[in-house]
Amino acid sequence: MEFKFGGSETNQKTVLGHPSGLFVLFFTEMWERFSYYGMRALLVLFLTAAILGEGGWGWERSEALLLYGWYTGLVYITPIIGGFIADKFTGYRNAVVIGAFLMTLGHASMALEVTADMFFYLGLGLLIIGNGMFKPNISSMVGQLYKSQGKEKDAGYTIFYMGINAGAFLGILLCGYIGEKVGWHYGFGLAGVFMFFGMLQFYFAQKIFGRIGLSPKRTEDFDDAVENSLEETKELVEEVASEAERSKVTSDRLKVIGVFAFFTIFFWWAFEQAGGSMTVFAADYTDRVLTGEGAVTFKIFNTLLTVIPMLIITWVLLMLFKQTFSKFALSNLLLGTSFVIIWGIVIWMLNREFGSEESEVPASWFGILNSFFIIAFAPLFSKVWESKYNPTGPVKFAIGLILLGLGFGILAYGSMGIPLGAKTASVSMIFLILAYLFHTLGELCVSPVGLSYVSKLAPLKLVGLMFGVWFVANFIANLTAGWTGSYIDPIVEEYGMSTFFLIFTAVPVGAGIIMLILNRTLIRMMHGIR
């Protein structure tokens, strides 16, 4: 009997028209993103919080933002190494488990000893290494669930991407709330708890994937059966690729990838201020205290914003149970337990908020807007990309950069009343909300475009190398984002907060305009790739 999907017989049972194994990966990735974004939301806030009274480390903003830049930058370098290790030694499945376990230990190290330098830095190191083992390999497994390269696989990755955003949303919301309102170590610890549950539910359900993701040694017997034909195919592909590498077409296409990689640095350099200088702005310069009708309105909005996604995700969970519980009961029970805990925390948080007359919005709360706006607007953008109004790749990139710059322009306008050198202010939160909206709309133009064009434009033999180049570009962007953000205090002191944000307005908008100018040239150099 020939299976429609890769993996075991159980994986042929579908949830929302996709193999059940996709949703095992969905929830594993969701909890990993929960842990990553939950910790990231707290990092700068904890480091800059006062030692006395607030329980933080009392770092200068410049120091905290530099560490933030190094951390978020390095998580883009280690996946190159993690992918190589999985390909050559461990296989994807073992790499995912190892990565999840290392990240669990990292969160535990940060949670148990948030006042000890050694344990804190050890935790960050484990998170960086664990991410490198986890991130590239779980994404690779998604693709192997499908035997075709068509719309079905694209839709599968879209669902997987929703898991990423669901995890980011819940992680920032809950870890941020508990870290700021209850205690930093509880927030760091909560991130680790769900990373641990994600690891266990994946480990005990991995047989659903059949031979997908097994270590190279365990697939030797299978490989021997087709070794000769694969070797012949490989030689043919290498011969064609070698010839193509010498052609002007391939040379031009590789140059286009280089241009996209260069301009993506400007995008993520500005965008990654979200966990850095924008978090500082939310904490110290934004009026987050609401009273009366404003407080009630926010509480109702926040409740709907939290409960509706939770209901949808729980519904998906129940459908997965229906298809896989008989074969993978332990994995399902562990996953179900994690949701019981998360529902308990959600109910406790909402009840606690409704019990107070006023409401102070956590500084980390604004970070959830990115995931919310992605979920809200992604279907609209998808329809536009499928219509006759679908712009070219360079134009999409340009639009994304300009929208990002406009978001910072809104922050610059809202900051005009802040005096030079001010350490605190009470700017309306509407400016941050609008900034996150424009930034997310820009992300929807840029993020799906770049990786797609790398896979389309690079010759088969160089795809891995080109993705490595893309990761290096992201590393540069994140590191530079932290370094630039670290100058917030001297710039605010001498020129004002508005000028600081105008820097992040002018550079992306300028880059976007240049990309528009290059549009026709880049289209010609793609040689038919759209």
mmCIF file with all atom_site columns, all heavy atoms in Angstrom, residues 277-291:
data_model
loop_
_atom_site.group_PDB
_atom_site.id
_atom_site.type_symbol
_atom_site.label_atom_id
_atom_site.label_alt_id
_atom_site.label_comp_id
_atom_site.label_asym_id
_atom_site.label_entity_id
_atom_site.label_seq_id
_atom_site.pdbx_PDB_ins_code
_atom_site.Cartn_x
_atom_site.Cartn_y
_atom_site.Cartn_z
_atom_site.occupancy
_atom_site.B_iso_or_equiv
_atom_site.pdbx_formal_charge
_atom_site.auth_seq_id
_atom_site.auth_comp_id
_atom_site.auth_asym_id
_atom_site.auth_atom_id
_atom_site.pdbx_PDB_model_num
ATOM 1   N N   . SER A 1 277 ? 15.525 48.595 21.985 1.00 0.00 ? 277 SER A N   1
ATOM 2   C CA  . SER A 1 277 ? 15.200 49.991 22.303 1.00 0.00 ? 277 SER A CA  1
ATOM 3   C C   . SER A 1 277 ? 13.692 50.228 22.375 1.00 0.00 ? 277 SER A C   1
ATOM 4   O O   . SER A 1 277 ? 13.237 51.082 23.151 1.00 0.00 ? 277 SER A O   1
ATOM 5   C CB  . SER A 1 277 ? 15.833 50.929 21.267 1.00 0.00 ? 277 SER A CB  1
ATOM 6   O OG  . SER A 1 277 ? 15.337 50.671 19.966 1.00 0.00 ? 277 SER A OG  1
ATOM 7   N N   . MET A 1 278 ? 12.902 49.501 21.585 1.00 0.00 ? 278 MET A N   1
ATOM 8   C CA  . MET A 1 278 ? 11.448 49.674 21.672 1.00 0.00 ? 278 MET A CA  1
ATOM 9   C C   . MET A 1 278 ? 10.908 49.142 22.995 1.00 0.00 ? 278 MET A C   1
ATOM 10  O O   . MET A 1 278 ? 9.916  49.664 23.522 1.00 0.00 ? 278 MET A O   1
ATOM 11  C CB  . MET A 1 278 ? 10.759 48.994 20.481 1.00 0.00 ? 278 MET A CB  1
ATOM 12  C CG  . MET A 1 278 ? 10.941 49.740 19.173 1.00 0.00 ? 278 MET A CG  1
ATOM 13  S SD  . MET A 1 278 ? 10.219 48.884 17.747 1.00 0.00 ? 278 MET A SD  1
ATOM 14  C CE  . MET A 1 278 ? 8.461  49.043 18.105 1.00 0.00 ? 278 MET A CE  1
ATOM 15  N N   . THR A 1 279 ? 11.535 48.104 23.538 1.00 0.00 ? 279 THR A N   1
ATOM 16  C CA  . THR A 1 279 ? 11.142 47.617 24.859 1.00 0.00 ? 279 THR A CA  1
ATOM 17  C C   . THR A 1 279 ? 11.503 48.642 25.926 1.00 0.00 ? 279 THR A C   1
ATOM 18  O O   . THR A 1 279 ? 10.733 48.869 26.876 1.00 0.00 ? 279 THR A O   1
ATOM 19  C CB  . THR A 1 279 ? 11.838 46.272 25.152 1.00 0.00 ? 279 THR A CB  1
ATOM 20  O OG1 . THR A 1 279 ? 11.367 45.291 24.220 1.00 0.00 ? 279 THR A OG1 1
ATOM 21  C CG2 . THR A 1 279 ? 11.537 45.795 26.559 1.00 0.00 ? 279 THR A CG2 1
ATOM 22  N N   . VAL A 1 280 ? 12.686 49.275 25.790 1.00 0.00 ? 280 VAL A N   1
ATOM 23  C CA  . VAL A 1 280 ? 13.074 50.349 26.706 1.00 0.00 ? 280 VAL A CA  1
ATOM 24  C C   . VAL A 1 280 ? 12.070 51.493 26.612 1.00 0.00 ? 280 VAL A C   1
ATOM 25  O O   . VAL A 1 280 ? 11.647 52.061 27.633 1.00 0.00 ? 280 VAL A O   1
ATOM 26  C CB  . VAL A 1 280 ? 14.494 50.844 26.370 1.00 0.00 ? 280 VAL A CB  1
ATOM 27  C CG1 . VAL A 1 280 ? 14.821 52.127 27.130 1.00 0.00 ? 280 VAL A CG1 1
ATOM 28  C CG2 . VAL A 1 280 ? 15.520 49.764 26.686 1.00 0.00 ? 280 VAL A CG2 1
ATOM 29  N N   . PHE A 1 281 ? 11.678 51.843 25.390 1.00 0.00 ? 281 PHE A N   1
ATOM 30  C CA  . PHE A 1 281 ? 10.699 52.921 25.193 1.00 0.00 ? 281 PHE A CA  1
ATOM 31  C C   . PHE A 1 281 ? 9.368  52.563 25.849 1.00 0.00 ? 281 PHE A C   1
ATOM 32  O O   . PHE A 1 281 ? 8.734  53.416 26.486 1.00 0.00 ? 281 PHE A O   1
ATOM 33  C CB  . PHE A 1 281 ? 10.501 53.160 23.691 1.00 0.00 ? 281 PHE A CB  1
ATOM 34  C CG  . PHE A 1 281 ? 9.598  54.325 23.372 1.00 0.00 ? 281 PHE A CG  1
ATOM 35  C CD1 . PHE A 1 281 ? 10.077 55.619 23.416 1.00 0.00 ? 281 PHE A CD1 1
ATOM 36  C CD2 . PHE A 1 281 ? 8.267  54.118 23.038 1.00 0.00 ? 281 PHE A CD2 1
ATOM 37  C CE1 . PHE A 1 281 ? 9.241  56.697 23.124 1.00 0.00 ? 281 PHE A CE1 1
ATOM 38  C CE2 . PHE A 1 281 ? 7.425  55.176 22.744 1.00 0.00 ? 281 PHE A CE2 1
ATOM 39  C CZ  . PHE A 1 281 ? 7.916  56.478 22.788 1.00 0.00 ? 281 PHE A CZ  1
ATOM 40  N N   . ALA A 1 282 ? 8.945  51.308 25.708 1.00 0.00 ? 282 ALA A N   1
ATOM 41  C CA  . ALA A 1 282 ? 7.688  50.875 26.328 1.00 0.00 ? 282 ALA A CA  1
ATOM 42  C C   . ALA A 1 282 ? 7.773  50.942 27.843 1.00 0.00 ? 282 ALA A C   1
ATOM 43  O O   . ALA A 1 282 ? 6.811  51.346 28.516 1.00 0.00 ? 282 ALA A O   1
ATOM 44  C CB  . ALA A 1 282 ? 7.361  49.448 25.883 1.00 0.00 ? 282 ALA A CB  1
ATOM 45  N N   . ALA A 1 283 ? 8.917  50.544 28.400 1.00 0.00 ? 283 ALA A N   1
ATOM 46  C CA  . ALA A 1 283 ? 9.060  50.488 29.858 1.00 0.00 ? 283 ALA A CA  1
ATOM 47  C C   . ALA A 1 283 ? 9.171  51.868 30.492 1.00 0.00 ? 283 ALA A C   1
ATOM 48  O O   . ALA A 1 283 ? 8.553  52.133 31.531 1.00 0.00 ? 283 ALA A O   1
ATOM 49  C CB  . ALA A 1 283 ? 10.286 49.654 30.220 1.00 0.00 ? 283 ALA A CB  1
ATOM 50  N N   . ASP A 1 284 ? 9.937  52.770 29.855 1.00 0.00 ? 284 ASP A N   1
ATOM 51  C CA  . ASP A 1 284 ? 10.290 54.029 30.523 1.00 0.00 ? 284 ASP A CA  1
ATOM 52  C C   . ASP A 1 284 ? 9.664  55.280 29.922 1.00 0.00 ? 284 ASP A C   1
ATOM 53  O O   . ASP A 1 284 ? 9.635  56.321 30.585 1.00 0.00 ? 284 ASP A O   1
ATOM 54  C CB  . ASP A 1 284 ? 11.818 54.197 30.509 1.00 0.00 ? 284 ASP A CB  1
ATOM 55  C CG  . ASP A 1 284 ? 12.529 53.090 31.264 1.00 0.00 ? 284 ASP A CG  1
ATOM 56  O OD1 . ASP A 1 284 ? 11.911 52.510 32.177 1.00 0.00 ? 284 ASP A OD1 1
ATOM 57  O OD2 . ASP A 1 284 ? 13.693 52.802 30.936 1.00 0.00 ? 284 ASP A OD2 1
ATOM 58  N N   . TYR A 1 285 ? 9.176  55.203 28.699 1.00 0.00 ? 285 TYR A N   1
ATOM 59  C CA  . TYR A 1 285 ? 8.693  56.422 28.042 1.00 0.00 ? 285 TYR A CA  1
ATOM 60  C C   . TYR A 1 285 ? 7.231  56.349 27.621 1.00 0.00 ? 285 TYR A C   1
ATOM 61  O O   . TYR A 1 285 ? 6.731  57.267 26.979 1.00 0.00 ? 285 TYR A O   1
ATOM 62  C CB  . TYR A 1 285 ? 9.562  56.712 26.806 1.00 0.00 ? 285 TYR A CB  1
ATOM 63  C CG  . TYR A 1 285 ? 10.999 57.016 27.136 1.00 0.00 ? 285 TYR A CG  1
ATOM 64  C CD1 . TYR A 1 285 ? 11.958 56.006 27.140 1.00 0.00 ? 285 TYR A CD1 1
ATOM 65  C CD2 . TYR A 1 285 ? 11.400 58.308 27.461 1.00 0.00 ? 285 TYR A CD2 1
ATOM 66  C CE1 . TYR A 1 285 ? 13.289 56.275 27.448 1.00 0.00 ? 285 TYR A CE1 1
ATOM 67  C CE2 . TYR A 1 285 ? 12.730 58.591 27.774 1.00 0.00 ? 285 TYR A CE2 1
ATOM 68  C CZ  . TYR A 1 285 ? 13.665 57.568 27.770 1.00 0.00 ? 285 TYR A CZ  1
ATOM 69  O OH  . TYR A 1 285 ? 14.971 57.841 28.093 1.00 0.00 ? 285 TYR A OH  1
ATOM 70  N N   . THR A 1 286 ? 6.544  55.267 27.952 1.00 0.00 ? 286 THR A N   1
ATOM 71  C CA  . THR A 1 286 ? 5.156  55.092 27.517 1.00 0.00 ? 286 THR A CA  1
ATOM 72  C C   . THR A 1 286 ? 4.217  55.089 28.715 1.00 0.00 ? 286 THR A C   1
ATOM 73  O O   . THR A 1 286 ? 4.507  54.478 29.750 1.00 0.00 ? 286 THR A O   1
ATOM 74  C CB  . THR A 1 286 ? 5.003  53.758 26.750 1.00 0.00 ? 286 THR A CB  1
ATOM 75  O OG1 . THR A 1 286 ? 5.902  53.758 25.639 1.00 0.00 ? 286 THR A OG1 1
ATOM 76  C CG2 . THR A 1 286 ? 3.581  53.580 26.246 1.00 0.00 ? 286 THR A CG2 1
ATOM 77  N N   . ASP A 1 287 ? 3.105  55.775 28.579 1.00 0.00 ? 287 ASP A N   1
ATOM 78  C CA  . ASP A 1 287 ? 2.081  55.794 29.628 1.00 0.00 ? 287 ASP A CA  1
ATOM 79  C C   . ASP A 1 287 ? 1.300  54.479 29.577 1.00 0.00 ? 287 ASP A C   1
ATOM 80  O O   . ASP A 1 287 ? 0.449  54.285 28.709 1.00 0.00 ? 287 ASP A O   1
ATOM 81  C CB  . ASP A 1 287 ? 1.138  56.982 29.411 1.00 0.00 ? 287 ASP A CB  1
ATOM 82  C CG  . ASP A 1 287 ? 0.088  57.100 30.507 1.00 0.00 ? 287 ASP A CG  1
ATOM 83  O OD1 . ASP A 1 287 ? 0.181  56.347 31.501 1.00 0.00 ? 287 ASP A OD1 1
ATOM 84  O OD2 . ASP A 1 287 ? -0.824 57.927 30.355 1.00 0.00 ? 287 ASP A OD2 1
ATOM 85  N N   . ARG A 1 288 ? 1.587  53.598 30.509 1.00 0.00 ? 288 ARG A N   1
ATOM 86  C CA  . ARG A 1 288 ? 0.982  52.260 30.500 1.00 0.00 ? 288 ARG A CA  1
ATOM 87  C C   . ARG A 1 288 ? -0.049 52.061 31.597 1.00 0.00 ? 288 ARG A C   1
ATOM 88  O O   . ARG A 1 288 ? -0.592 50.970 31.749 1.00 0.00 ? 288 ARG A O   1
ATOM 89  C CB  . ARG A 1 288 ? 2.086  51.196 30.631 1.00 0.00 ? 288 ARG A CB  1
ATOM 90  C CG  . ARG A 1 288 ? 3.061  51.188 29.468 1.00 0.00 ? 288 ARG A CG  1
ATOM 91  C CD  . ARG A 1 288 ? 4.154  50.157 29.619 1.00 0.00 ? 288 ARG A CD  1
ATOM 92  N NE  . ARG A 1 288 ? 5.146  50.510 30.631 1.00 0.00 ? 288 ARG A NE  1
ATOM 93  C CZ  . ARG A 1 288 ? 5.311  49.900 31.789 1.00 0.00 ? 288 ARG A CZ  1
ATOM 94  N NH1 . ARG A 1 288 ? 4.537  48.863 32.102 1.00 0.00 ? 288 ARG A NH1 1
ATOM 95  N NH2 . ARG A 1 288 ? 6.242  50.278 32.645 1.00 0.00 ? 288 ARG A NH2 1
ATOM 96  N N   . VAL A 1 289 ? -0.321 53.115 32.379 1.00 0.00 ? 289 VAL A N   1
ATOM 97  C CA  . VAL A 1 289 ? -1.293 53.003 33.474 1.00 0.00 ? 289 VAL A CA  1
ATOM 98  C C   . VAL A 1 289 ? -2.661 53.463 32.974 1.00 0.00 ? 289 VAL A C   1
ATOM 99  O O   . VAL A 1 289 ? -2.827 54.602 32.523 1.00 0.00 ? 289 VAL A O   1
ATOM 100 C CB  . VAL A 1 289 ? -0.866 53.840 34.690 1.00 0.00 ? 289 VAL A CB  1
ATOM 101 C CG1 . VAL A 1 289 ? -1.917 53.750 35.800 1.00 0.00 ? 289 VAL A CG1 1
ATOM 102 C CG2 . VAL A 1 289 ? 0.490  53.378 35.204 1.00 0.00 ? 289 VAL A CG2 1
ATOM 103 N N   . LEU A 1 290 ? -3.641 52.570 33.045 1.00 0.00 ? 290 LEU A N   1
ATOM 104 C CA  . LEU A 1 290 ? -4.994 52.865 32.581 1.00 0.00 ? 290 LEU A CA  1
ATOM 105 C C   . LEU A 1 290 ? -5.960 52.838 33.765 1.00 0.00 ? 290 LEU A C   1
ATOM 106 O O   . LEU A 1 290 ? -5.849 51.993 34.657 1.00 0.00 ? 290 LEU A O   1
ATOM 107 C CB  . LEU A 1 290 ? -5.429 51.837 31.538 1.00 0.00 ? 290 LEU A CB  1
ATOM 108 C CG  . LEU A 1 290 ? -4.557 51.741 30.280 1.00 0.00 ? 290 LEU A CG  1
ATOM 109 C CD1 . LEU A 1 290 ? -5.004 50.566 29.427 1.00 0.00 ? 290 LEU A CD1 1
ATOM 110 C CD2 . LEU A 1 290 ? -4.620 53.029 29.468 1.00 0.00 ? 290 LEU A CD2 1
ATOM 111 N N   . THR A 1 291 ? -6.911 53.755 33.763 1.00 0.00 ? 291 THR A N   1
ATOM 112 C CA  . THR A 1 291 ? -7.929 53.797 34.815 1.00 0.00 ? 291 THR A CA  1
ATOM 113 C C   . THR A 1 291 ? -9.310 53.941 34.195 1.00 0.00 ? 291 THR A C   1
ATOM 114 O O   . THR A 1 291 ? -9.448 54.289 33.014 1.00 0.00 ? 291 THR A O   1
ATOM 115 C CB  . THR A 1 291 ? -7.675 54.979 35.773 1.00 0.00 ? 291 THR A CB  1
ATOM 116 O OG1 . THR A 1 291 ? -7.685 56.209 35.012 1.00 0.00 ? 291 THR A OG1 1
ATOM 117 C CG2 . THR A 1 291 ? -6.335 54.839 36.480 1.00 0.00 ? 291 THR A CG2 1
#
